[in-house]
Amino acid sequence: MTKNLRVKTGKAIDETYRISFKFNGKTYYGFKGDTLSSALLANNVHLVGRSFKYHRPRGIMTAGSEEPNAIVQLHDNSSRTEPNVRATEVEIYEGLEASSQNCWPSVKFDVGGINNFLSPLLPAGFYYKTFMWPASFWEKYEYFIRKSAGLGKSPTEPDPDIYEHRYIHCDVLVIGSGISGVMAAKTAAKNGFKTLLVDEKPNLGGSTIYQNSDYFKINNQNSNSWLEKEINEIKKLKNLEIKTRTSVAAYHGYNFLLARENFTDHLPIEQRKDKTRHKLLKIRAKKVISATGSIERPMVFDNNDRPGILLSSAIKRYADFFGVACGEKNVLFTNNDSAYETAISLIQKGINIEAIIDNREEVDSKLVYEVEKNNIKIFKGYTVTNTFGYKKISGISIKQLSKDGQKVVGSRINLSCDCLGVSGGWTPAVHLFTQSGGKLKFRDEDQVFIPSIYPSDQLSIGSCNGDFTLDEILINTPKSLKEFLNIKNTEYESLEVISSTNKSKRNIWLLPSDKVLGKTKSFVDYQNDATAKDIKLALREGFRSIEHVKRYTTTGMGTDQGKLGNMHALGIISETAGAKMGELGTTTFRPPYTPLTFGTIVGRNVGEYFDIFRKTPIHSWHEKNKAEFENVGQWKRAWYYPKENENMHQAVQRESKAARESAGILDASTLGKIDIQGTDASEFLNRVYTNAWSKLAIGKCRYGLMLNEDGMVYDDGVTTRLGENHYIMTTTTGGAANVMGKLEDYLQTEWPELDVYLTSVTDHFATISVCGPNSKKIVSEVISDLDFSDESFPHMSFKNAKIGKINCRVMRISFTGEHSYEINIQANYGKSVWEKCMEAGKDYNITPYGTETMHLLRAEKGFIIVGQDTDATMTPIDLQMDWIVSKKKYDFIGKRSLYRSDTIREDRKQLVGLLTEDPNEVLEEGAQIVADVKKSPIEMLGHITSSYFSPNLKKSIALGVVRGGKNMIGQKLIIPMEKKNINVTVADPVFLDKENKRLNA
Amino acid sequence: MFVINCPFCGEREQSEFKAGGEAHIVRPKQPTELSDDEWAEYLFMRKNIKGVQFERWNHAHGCRKWFNMVRDTSNDEIKAVYKMGEKPPIE
């Protein structure tokens, strides 16, 4: 097992730097520069996982981000553990630990493997068909399905790494650094474009850079040497930024792209400390050049998924880059020239090739002749019909293809091998292009989708544009660049190119076998175990749209998004349904191209930085006095102030009693404040509030209710007239920004003729509300030279005052129903004035109270809270607030809607008070209200919106909305709870001091 | 994500803006004169077309100004932006 398959130094690795790592608990060695997959293959480890549904043994299949099988968990049982990582993309480092994911108890012996033998019972849509009934059992099924699916484990501890976001603006973004990408980056940068070149791999040069083949030459040098020289040149260019290990995840409209730059994943863990792990690059490019290359296609034949079956291009890459032989007895299976390029690389490295199976009958290609010269047996016009071996391939059967390619003929030949390289041609990597909204066209001669209509200023070049051979790339790329960048010349006009690839290809989507299809396992999607049989079954069952077949068979729905198999799925559908490929279209490619970690997506916005929060100027006092805080919008508001061992209920009861019996103090700084000025300010208020404002005298305050145009209550608050053309409006804490936006909207768009200016001054003022029978004594001590007599300073009026030398505004307004004052002062004096009030109130047991007590006190008084007692379906009439709706005003926002046929219905839900039979029974907010529990189904009349135990009334009180409730005062209703029914009586929503004696006291 | 050319500030990221629905729907001058159906037409009925659409946008995290935009909803191409009260530069 621990054979060394390292044949010759690969250029991508440093053989002087040995690295040890663990895979499934066993220690292996590799070299710096190895990927986890190349290091495993060098140690002759092919078996790395089990398939999703049948738990079949699976091996490394590719050498890139398209890998469907080698999906591993890194650093299990640590805070850095990461599931669903492609072994082909992990660069090894000292101390790396990885393990197989989808297997139990181990990858070599997997209990779920039984599914492989049960597979006739597990057809496409099996889960949909089987776990449908009874519906209530789904939760139980789901537990076991998830357990046996085993898509890796998520970490249970916080992520210790640092992630960042960065915006980048550039003239030209080039994605991919193969030959065409390097040509594009150099041309753009040299012509004065600020250029960014990104590549997902650790080094530049694409697949060419280490191939060293005499069959591909540019200006008499091997193509890799030529490219190396070009890369050395572009590294010196000033206006070119190069980012490697940077994978573009998403390509959105207006050339906005997201890319992940990886800084530390290739470093030993101890070297990662205090370094940024990933950076999410938000790139806005004027022009984008995609040079994303292409992905080799596998082929669809019976048992095409055994460990040891790889893409032929992957075998080539492992040999060229890492000096690794994927097997000792290699067989290649192809329908085009690519496998011969692989063969030539293997021959160069001295790796044994047993045979090549070629679908094509005759080929006139220099590459084929070269391989034949090396005495390698080529079976032309043959196909692989089956493979053998369980945990690793041990042999194959081949047969001759019929002329039309639909059948196999002749006798079976068996060949033994330990590695099979497959090449089904190439698929342009158009994922990013289609994400951006680009439209593809189908090219019949080689059966590929290539970019056709560009939705933004962008260009696709090289093999992602369907130019697969070296001469096509070198002729077409400069041409396209000149036009795209609007330049006269490139450096690449008269290159001498030798390209030996013959473009012929014999494309057969589903290769024939000597068995009936039903007896074969020809995998189309390896990760999700979808076979050709499943796709045909879906078609038989009536599915036609490619999107439906995809969802039914789960083809292309794995973490690899079907990068390998989607084309075959399409091909099989097209052949079976007799539809043209171009007409079928493709499934939608969605971002991200390769998975992103959550850390990368959120960046620094974690913990306390997840969302910003706002603090009042008095916040530190609340903290010091042990307040519990509540989030209201983005504000942190003092909720209640527990003393000693008080719980919330006890604290709130104490605070509420104190406020009514002597004095309470509340930090109301969070209320929205809008300064309104202009000669039309009064008219403006007339239009936005339901009540009349023209006659409000200077120095007076008025409560206002604001509706939406549909007549529903939107916000409320007290507005004060400070001068002839000057008002200050208060809004609810949570509604401030929206109210401001709405008022601006009407001013700018509907009534631009009004002379009104709005300024948000919420943060400018601290607001301190002192209430209770002793409030006057306290406030008059803090503001000594002001006349507080009821005649001079009645309820709903305002005065300018001074505390020391500092101006302040004092309003006598109340949200508790108590005699109360609100002091508004420049924010930075807020805390000191608060402390003065506390000092002055000492003898009166002044009690700071939070939002919970405020809610209780206002509920005793029947004052609504917009958003708690209302939702977007309550009119002022529903709230029994008819008194605030002006009958005289010709128009205001929402007026017309108040007498639509629906809003005048008598049986709308209306706000009422509710009293429980047992005064100690406190109702649950949100509980349902019904009249008759015997009727089935029980008719729901409404729900509880606010509910408290009132210490001042010594009973439970509640507000709720009840259908037709206005006319039900005194009627008995029922609140059905889980264990009992609670009897309630409909009451007036004002529970305390209906005559407002306390307000005016 | 669009780049929007605010008529007051110039080109800015879409994240600075808020969409405000269909443009050129004028609030009736005399709502009380309207029948329920006529009022409902103003209140609720909005177009949602695939193709060229006239929209209101607000530079909410910028100059706070409202303006109009002509956008092709099929490919998100912004064909024009213009100030409130101005005639659309294209039909």
Side-chain angles (χ1 to χ4, degrees):
Chain A
M1 195 70 192
T2 46
K3 231 178 265 174
N4 184 359
L5 290 181
R6 196 78 69 166
V7 286
K8 206 168 182 183
T9 309
K11 283 198 176 172
I13 57 165
D14 177 359
E15 261 188 300
T16 61
Y17 195 133
R18 206 166 83 133
I19 286 172
S20 77
F21 65 97
K22 275 187 181 171
F23 181 67
N24 284 338
K26 194 173 168 195
T27 303
Y28 296 95
Y29 296 94
F31 297 114
K32 192 178 162 80
D34 260 326
T35 61
L36 178 55
S37 56
S38 70
L40 286 172
L41 289 170
N43 286 286
N44 199 23
V45 177
H46 276 267
L47 173 62
V48 288
R50 291 274 176 163
S51 72
F52 186 76
K53 191 161 129 190
Y54 303 127
H55 290 248
R56 284 167 68 100
R58 289 282 164 82
I60 296 158
M61 173 119 199
T62 73
S65 54
E66 67 272 28
E67 177 62 37
N69 293 340
I71 307 293
V72 297
Q73 179 104 26
L74 298 183
H75 298 282
D76 208 353
N77 299 321
S78 91
S79 56
R80 280 202 168 82
T81 191
E82 191 180 344
N84 302 327
V85 181
R86 292 150 303 284
T88 49
E89 289 198 304
V90 178
E91 295 172 58
I92 61 165
Y93 47 86
E94 194 60 43
L96 168 69
E97 285 180 25
S99 52
S100 301
Q101 251 177 213
N102 190 21
C103 54
W104 184 84
S106 81
V107 70
K108 286 178 193 157
F109 177 74
D110 179 6
V111 167
I114 191 84
N115 283 5
N116 189 29
F117 303 104
L118 297 178
S119 65
L121 306 175
L122 296 170
F126 169 73
Y127 292 95
Y128 297 124
K129 289 167 180 163
T130 311
F131 298 109
M132 292 270 290
W133 25 254
S136 60
F137 266 44
W138 169 247
E139 280 175 27
K140 295 186 179 71
Y141 290 140
E142 191 187 16
Y143 174 80
F144 290 103
I145 291 172
R146 281 190 186 280
K147 215 175 154 186
S148 70
L151 282 172
K153 281 185 271 180
S154 53
T156 51
E157 289 162 59
D159 190 334
D161 285 314
I162 303 166
Y163 302 86
E164 278 175 9
H165 288 179
R166 181 190 161 192
Y167 284 92
I168 297 183
H169 297 264
C170 59
D171 294 326
V172 177
L173 167 70
V174 182
I175 310 164
S177 66
I179 291 186
S180 54
V182 167
M183 287 166 82
K186 190 176 176 193
T187 307
K190 280 201 153 181
N191 281 283
F193 293 95
K194 192 184 156 207
T195 308
L196 173 65
L197 172 65
V198 299
D199 196 284
E200 62 178 359
K201 293 271 187 322
N203 38 21
L204 302 179
S207 57
T208 307
I209 194 66
Y210 297 134
Q211 81 167 2
N212 200 14
S213 166
D214 295 339
Y215 289 85
F216 300 95
K217 283 184 186 290
I218 304 169
N219 284 352
N220 274 322
Q221 305 164 58
N222 283 0
S223 59
N224 61 316
S225 316
W226 181 85
L227 183 58
E228 206 174 319
K229 209 179 75 232
E230 289 288 302
I231 289 172
N232 288 334
E233 277 178 41
I234 64 168
K235 282 181 178 164
K236 292 178 206 137
L237 293 175
K238 282 237 165 64
N239 51 342
L240 173 66
E241 191 179 355
I242 300 173
K243 289 186 179 296
T244 53
R245 296 190 177 100
T246 301
S247 139
V248 176
Y251 189 165
H252 297 294
Y254 286 73
N255 281 351
F256 182 68
L257 298 95
L258 297 174
R260 183 217 36 216
E261 190 175 12
N262 189 340
F263 294 97
T264 62
D265 280 356
H266 60 291
L267 300 176
I269 303 265
E270 66 273 11
Q271 285 177 33
R272 299 182 188 180
K273 202 167 176 291
D274 300 330
K275 289 188 180 120
T276 298
R277 182 184 176 203
H278 293 162
K279 208 178 255 181
L280 184 72
L281 307 176
K282 302 176 176 184
I283 306 168
R284 185 72 81 169
K286 292 201 178 105
K287 289 168 175 286
V288 175
I289 299 175
S290 296
T292 46
S294 50
I295 296 171
E296 194 167 29
R297 289 179 192 168
M299 289 205 273
V300 182
F301 53 92
D302 192 14
N303 289 314
N304 59 345
D305 67 324
R306 299 198 191 284
I309 301 180
L310 286 87
L311 294 179
S312 122
S313 60
I315 293 177
K316 180 172 187 291
R317 193 180 182 95
Y318 286 121
D320 285 345
F321 280 55
F322 308 102
V324 169
C326 293
E328 291 167 309
K329 287 157 78 183
N330 296 290
V331 172
L332 299 174
F333 177 32
T334 187
N335 65 11
N336 69 97
D337 258 16
S338 300
Y340 296 89
E341 292 179 30
T342 303
I344 287 166
S345 276
L346 297 188
I347 292 165
Q348 257 182 22
K349 296 254 174 344
I351 300 170
N352 170 46
I353 302 169
E354 294 279 309
I356 296 182
I357 324 296
D358 195 331
N359 281 169
R360 298 173 298 180
E361 282 170 342
E362 278 182 38
V363 207
D364 177 26
S365 160
K366 275 192 263 176
L367 297 176
V368 178
Y369 298 142
E370 169 68 17
V371 171
E372 277 174 333
K373 257 195 280 171
N374 282 276
N375 294 322
I376 291 167
K377 173 77 182 150
I378 302 175
F379 291 90
K380 289 181 187 160
Y382 273 72
T383 182
V384 175
T385 53
N386 200 356
T387 69
F388 308 102
Y390 185 58
K391 286 172 198 163
K392 174 100 181 270
I393 188 167
S394 61
I396 57 173
S397 297
I398 64 170
K399 267 191 168 182
Q400 211 167 354
L401 279 166
S402 65
K403 282 274 171 249
D404 63 359
Q406 297 299 307
K407 283 199 299 283
V408 282
V409 293
S411 53
R412 181 193 304 166
I413 303 172
N414 286 338
L415 299 171
S416 88
C417 67
D418 62 356
C419 177
L420 177 67
V422 182
S423 174
W426 294 82
T427 300
V430 293
H431 307 71
L432 294 173
F433 168 78
T434 52
Q435 277 182 27
S436 77
K439 295 275 175 289
L440 299 167
K441 66 176 175 215
F442 191 69
R443 192 166 69 190
D444 277 313
E445 63 258 37
D446 55 352
Q447 306 274 299
V448 292
F449 281 103
I450 51 171
S452 166
I453 301 168
Y454 294 103
S456 60
D457 200 357
Q458 55 166 302
L459 177 72
S460 291
I461 51 171
S463 65
C464 73
N465 193 38
D467 291 344
F468 294 117
T469 60
L470 188 61
D471 47 345
E472 283 173 335
I473 293 169
L474 291 173
I475 291 164
N476 293 340
T477 303
K479 245 194 263 171
S480 314
L481 287 174
K482 276 192 284 189
E483 198 182 317
F484 182 66
L485 298 173
N486 195 17
I487 51 175
K488 286 222 173 66
N489 265 305
T490 67
E491 298 173 13
Y492 309 112
E493 300 301 316
S494 48
L495 296 174
E496 274 179 51
V497 187
I498 296 173
S499 173
S500 304
T501 321
N502 179 311
K503 283 172 71 178
S504 75
K505 179 173 160 186
R506 189 179 186 190
N507 194 78
I508 303 170
W509 292 117
L510 171 57
L511 289 162
S513 159
D514 42 8
K515 283 190 258 176
V516 293
L517 184 68
K519 298 256 190 248
T520 64
K521 282 218 182 65
S522 311
F523 287 90
V524 173
D525 184 309
Y526 298 85
Q527 199 173 97
N528 273 348
D529 268 356
T531 63
K533 187 171 64 182
D534 293 330
I535 291 170
K536 292 216 170 194
L537 175 68
L539 291 167
R540 275 206 307 280
E541 292 185 359
F543 290 90
R544 281 294 172 273
S545 150
I546 170 70
E547 295 285 359
H548 290 160
V549 173
K550 166 183 164 177
R551 279 157 184 78
Y552 191 57
T553 60
T554 70
T555 305
M557 288 175 68
T559 56
D560 60 339
Q561 287 196 40
K563 291 188 178 75
L564 293 182
N566 274 356
M567 283 303 292
H568 299 88
L570 272 175
I572 293 167
I573 294 168
S574 132
E575 277 174 2
T576 313
K580 278 196 181 142
M581 290 285 278
E583 288 162 11
L584 276 175
T586 59
T587 53
T588 315
F589 299 111
R590 292 193 174 81
Y593 178 67
T594 49
L596 294 175
T597 57
F598 282 113
T600 311
I601 295 166
V602 296
R604 293 252 175 173
N605 301 326
V606 290
E608 61 177 314
Y609 304 111
F610 179 67
D611 193 13
I612 55 161
F613 60 87
R614 302 168 80 181
K615 296 185 287 192
T616 77
I618 309 163
H619 188 83
S620 60
W621 190 95
H622 305 318
E623 272 183 328
K624 216 175 120 195
N625 288 274
K626 311 248 159 32
E628 291 290 329
F629 289 92
E630 172 182 40
N631 294 332
V632 182
Q634 286 172 324
W635 288 100
K636 293 271 175 212
R637 291 200 74 175
W639 193 9
Y640 58 97
Y641 301 78
K643 271 191 178 171
E644 281 121 37
N645 296 321
E646 275 181 342
N647 61 23
M648 173 162 152
H649 176 73
Q650 291 161 333
V652 169
Q653 296 289 308
R654 172 181 52 77
E655 290 170 13
S656 305
K657 263 174 95 79
R660 291 244 187 265
E661 284 166 10
S662 179
I665 182 167
L666 171 82
D667 179 1
S669 307
T670 62
L671 287 181
K673 306 171 198 78
I674 300 171
D675 187 89
I676 303 173
Q677 301 192 41
T679 50
D680 294 317
S682 305
E683 171 61 18
F684 180 64
L685 290 174
N686 267 335
R687 295 188 191 185
V688 299
Y689 277 132
T690 59
N691 45 350
W693 291 80
S694 327
K695 286 184 188 146
L696 184 70
I698 294 168
K700 294 288 179 196
C701 314
R702 182 165 287 173
Y703 173 78
L705 201 58
M706 200 181 287
L707 310 184
N708 263 330
E709 205 67 273
D710 61 8
M712 305 304 158
V713 173
Y714 184 68
D715 202 80
D716 69 346
V718 170
T719 296
T720 303
R721 189 166 198 176
L722 301 172
E724 176 63 27
N725 298 319
H726 191 187
Y727 291 84
I728 180 116
M729 171 190 280
T730 57
T731 73
T732 58
T733 298
N738 289 337
V739 170
M740 183 73 185
K742 181 180 154 102
L743 299 183
E744 275 287 353
D745 186 353
Y746 275 90
L747 266 184
Q748 288 180 32
T749 65
E750 298 294 349
W751 309 319
E753 71 281 4
L754 292 187
D755 176 40
V756 176
Y757 301 89
L758 306 175
T759 313
S760 165
V761 293
T762 304
D763 293 331
H764 301 201
F765 294 96
T767 305
I768 298 160
S769 171
V770 182
C771 78
N774 287 314
S775 58
K776 188 192 279 186
K777 290 176 201 153
I778 295 164
V779 178
S780 60
E781 198 178 317
V782 176
I783 309 169
S784 44
D785 51 355
L786 194 67
D787 182 358
F788 278 93
S789 68
D790 285 341
E791 299 71 48
S792 154
F793 201 174
H795 182 54
M796 294 309 264
S797 64
F798 140 84
K799 281 190 186 297
N800 279 311
K802 271 184 190 264
I803 300 175
K805 285 182 186 162
I806 312 304
N807 290 323
C808 64
R809 292 169 179 164
V810 187
M811 283 92 168
R812 187 172 160 192
I813 52 178
S814 172
F815 190 40
T816 57
E818 289 302 315
H819 187 126
S820 118
Y821 297 92
E822 224 177 79
I823 305 167
N824 285 276
I825 190 150
Q826 197 180 314
N828 47 342
Y829 296 105
K831 196 179 153 208
S832 102
V833 172
W834 175 278
E835 282 164 346
K836 273 187 199 304
C837 291
M838 289 303 295
E839 184 60 33
K842 231 186 200 167
D843 296 341
Y844 305 104
N845 181 31
I846 189 168
T847 301
Y849 65 92
T851 51
E852 192 62 25
T853 294
M854 173 183 84
H855 287 178
L856 192 162
L857 294 173
R858 65 85 209 180
E860 290 177 338
K861 188 70 183 136
F863 288 153
I864 59 156
I865 292 183
V866 173
Q868 175 164 345
D869 300 299
T870 74
D871 50 25
T873 66
M874 300 293 286
T875 70
I877 319 299
D878 298 337
L879 293 169
Q880 305 215 48
M881 290 172 77
D882 313 49
W883 53 271
I884 203 171
V885 181
S886 164
K887 303 267 181 320
K888 287 185 201 139
K889 280 199 295 183
Y890 181 70
D891 191 16
F892 55 82
I893 297 173
K895 174 169 173 135
R896 175 61 186 83
S897 291
L898 293 180
Y899 53 94
R900 290 179 57 239
S901 58
D902 186 57
T903 42
I904 53 171
R905 277 189 297 116
E906 282 293 311
D907 63 344
R908 289 177 62 83
K909 282 183 188 163
Q910 291 146 353
L911 187 78
V912 293
L914 293 161
L915 293 170
T916 49
E917 201 170 69
D918 170 4
N920 290 316
E921 180 82 67
V922 180
L923 298 170
E924 246 179 68
E925 286 175 4
Q928 310 275 294
I929 304 170
V930 305
D932 182 359
V933 284
K934 291 192 189 87
K935 210 161 117 187
S936 177
I938 301 178
E939 195 183 7
M940 197 268 242
L941 295 180
H943 65 275
I944 309 289
T945 59
S946 299
S947 172
Y948 309 89
F949 184 82
S950 160
N952 301 299
L953 300 162
K954 298 192 176 55
K955 64 179 179 190
S956 151
I957 56 167
L959 296 172
V961 291
V962 176
R963 204 185 302 155
K966 219 186 271 189
N967 299 320
M968 289 168 78
I969 306 288
Q971 214 165 303
K972 300 244 184 273
L973 293 173
I974 298 164
I975 315 294
M977 299 302 290
E978 204 178 358
K979 296 208 169 99
K980 59 180 171 187
N981 292 330
I982 302 166
N983 296 322
V984 294
T985 311
V986 180
D988 189 286
V990 184
F991 300 102
L992 181 100
D993 186 26
K994 198 157 182 174
E995 307 76 32
N996 291 337
K997 280 189 197 141
R998 305 175 75 99
L999 272 181
N1000 298 311
Chain B
M1 196 158 64
F2 312 161
V3 173
I4 296 173
N5 190 10
C6 169
F8 304 93
C9 306
E11 288 192 343
R12 295 288 191 279
E13 291 278 325
Q14 186 188 342
S15 54
E16 292 184 15
F17 297 84
K18 232 165 103 174
E22 194 182 341
H24 303 296
I25 294 180
V26 182
R27 187 175 188 271
K29 288 273 175 269
Q30 298 173 314
T32 42
E33 319 276 297
L34 301 181
S35 70
D36 267 11
D37 285 348
E38 286 166 330
W39 179 245
E41 183 68 28
Y42 159 73
L43 201 55
F44 301 121
M45 297 308 171
R46 297 293 182 271
K47 288 189 198 114
N48 181 18
I49 28 182
K50 183 177 180 183
V52 176
Q53 189 157 284
F54 295 79
E55 298 172 334
R56 287 157 25 99
W57 283 75
N58 181 224
H59 196 182
H61 302 283
C63 64
R64 290 204 345 232
K65 282 284 191 188
W66 283 89
F67 59 92
N68 290 325
M69 183 195 283
V70 190
R71 182 172 67 101
D72 187 331
T73 58
S74 66
N75 60 10
D76 283 338
E77 186 196 343
I78 298 170
K79 295 187 173 288
V81 288
Y82 53 102
K83 292 178 186 171
M84 279 293 160
E86 288 179 354
K87 278 228 165 78
I90 36 183
E91 295 280 299

